[in-house]
Amino acid sequence: QVQLGESGGGLVQAGGSLRLSCGISGPIAINLVMGWFRQTPGKEREFVAALQWNDDNRKYSDAVKGRFTISRDVAKVYLQMTNMKPEDTAIYYCAADYCSGSGCPRTARHEYRYWGQGTQVTVSS
């Protein structure tokens, strides 16, 4: 039911900034959670950031904490990336699911059922 589409990826110099966007089509329920993950060739898809829709509770990986910010408006989620590093180079994926109880939003890949197609982010030295 939920469809996602990322945009905003591109090439940026180290120390620069990019903002990714994820459009949401489908039910936006009170317990919706949104996540950003990233993946490089030969590596597992790793957690970056997540947001709980109803109360704006947010979580970040240690690698991006203090540099990246996840936010939303009425039907989109964003990832504002600042002070970017070459190790941030990856395909970035938007993800969604519904989450109830303690521990929301979740940080594991298997906790998210709906995924976008990915957008490439490349950071040069």
Side-chain angles (χ1 to χ4, degrees):
Q1 291 180 316
V2 176
Q3 294 180 332
L4 307 172
E6 305 97 329
S7 63
L11 177 65
V12 64
Q13 286 186 255
S17 300
L18 278 177
R19 189 174 78 159
L20 306 182
S21 299
C22 177
I24 304 166
S25 178
I28 299 180
I30 194 68
N31 63 340
L32 180 71
V33 292
M34 302 295 303
W36 286 99
F37 293 76
R38 64 188 184 186
Q39 187 170 25
T40 56
K43 302 293 185 180
E44 296 290 325
R45 192 170 299 182
E46 68 177 19
F47 170 76
V48 175
L51 176 148
Q52 187 167 313
W53 200 271
N54 65 334
D55 64 2
D56 205 35
N57 188 29
R58 306 175 190 184
K59 294 180 180 178
Y60 298 94
S61 70
D62 290 340
V64 308
K65 188 176 182 180
R67 299 188 297 118
F68 292 8
T69 302
I70 186 171
S71 62
R72 71 164 181 88
D73 58 19
V74 63
K76 291 182 179 178
V77 65
Y78 305 95
L79 185 68
Q80 179 67 53
M81 304 182 289
T82 64
N83 192 25
M84 298 188 71
K85 304 175 180 180
E87 50 263 47
D88 294 323
T89 296
I91 299 175
Y92 283 71
Y93 295 90
C94 178
D97 210 326
Y98 303 101
C99 187
S100 299
S102 62
C104 301
R106 309 292 186 181
T107 62
R109 295 188 307 274
H110 71 268
E111 300 282 2
Y112 292 84
R113 289 176 290 172
Y114 310 105
W115 295 84
Q117 80 285 356
T119 185
Q120 177 71 51
V121 172
T122 303
V123 184
S124 62
S125 300

